[in-house]
Amino acid sequence: MEIWDGHCHISGYSGTPAERVEQMVALADLMGVARLCIFMGSTFQQDPTPEQLRKANDEILDALKAWSSRAFGFVYLNPKHLDISLAELERCVRKGPMVAIKLWVAQHCDTPEVDAIVERAITLDAPIFQHTWRKVSGNLPGESTAVELARLAARHPKATFICGHTGGDWEQGIRAIAPYGNVYADLGGGDPTAGFAEMAVRELGEDRILFGSDIPGRSYGSQLAKVYGARISDTAKAKIFTTNLKGILTPALARKGVAL
Ligand SMILES: [Zn+2]
């Protein structure tokens, strides 16, 4: 099966951004992964300053120069620095090669600042990947839950959202996003617990689930197992591994003239 990985980072490798992706691609080749979505820089900043945002995005732009044949870039934004974030969206997506947006833990995603980013994203056909988690030990100050993403998605039915980690506590995450057809479940990160993909197929349908690994924070073995080992049809597996992600990225890729 062709595999597209919707969730990869360039941290945890060594060298320049291009060299980091080279190491990632070597791993992807071993595991049969064709395409990689990359976002955030070689070091993670939970609440990046404007300078840190630009540096992180510059690193992804550098990596894409060498690896546009295998990798797609998502621009990293921080809603707390809204003007800078909209400028980064302009620089990296409208005028640059990136095709989607990554939001992490700086700001809860249901706050009004995020609306301006979403409205701009709609005009660019850029999906928004929002990290979500619900931690027993308590979330980080700005860390979003799947419930918060569901609230944002309800306000923006024309936007496309990816629920990063499906809320971490995925049994709750799946239920939170289920009513919103514009929200896709990311299987990436977390342990390879049995039942995740099965419940997602049952509750969301096989068209709203995306394979993501969250490498190198997680291994390909543990993440691919969530799909390969799931008791779902081969058709559903193919959709999760390729078709669904390809579908939501195609409008943005078409704008860039990327032939698939
Ligand atoms: Zn991640």
Side-chain angles (χ1 to χ4, degrees), residues 129-257:
F129 185 114
Q130 171 67 60
H131 162 98
T132 61
W133 211 283
R134 183 176 175 275
K135 294 177 177 138
V136 175
S137 52
N139 277 18
L140 293 163
E143 190 170 22
S144 301
T145 63
V147 171
E148 290 166 348
L149 180 58
R151 258 182 232 137
L152 179 68
R155 296 207 294 266
H156 299 281
K158 287 187 180 148
T160 298
F161 298 93
I162 302 168
C163 185
H165 316 288
T166 315
D169 185 340
W170 46 265
E171 287 173 301
Q172 290 200 331
I174 289 168
R175 289 185 177 98
I177 65 172
Y180 307 98
N182 56 333
V183 187
Y184 290 72
D186 161 47
L187 298 179
D191 294 323
T193 319
F196 186 173
E198 289 91 331
M199 179 176 169
V201 168
R202 193 179 71 234
E203 302 294 327
L204 306 174
E206 58 195 34
D207 297 325
R208 284 176 57 196
I209 308 161
L210 310 175
F211 170 71
S213 65
D214 207 4
I215 57 161
R218 298 285 171 170
S219 68
Y220 264 132
S222 67
Q223 303 304 304
L224 288 166
K226 289 178 192 171
V227 183
Y228 277 132
R231 291 180 187 178
I232 55 177
S233 70
D234 283 349
T235 310
K237 288 179 187 178
K239 285 182 174 180
I240 293 168
F241 274 143
T242 337
T243 320
N244 296 341
L245 180 58
K246 200 183 267 187
I248 62 170
L249 292 182
T250 289
L253 289 170
R255 283 172 170 273
K256 308 293 167 199

Side-chain angles (χ1 to χ4, degrees), residues 7 9 39-40 44 102 129 165 214:
H7 190 162
H9 300 291
F39 33 88
M40 301 168 65
F44 283 7
K102 163 67 184 236
F129 185 114
H165 316 288
D214 207 4

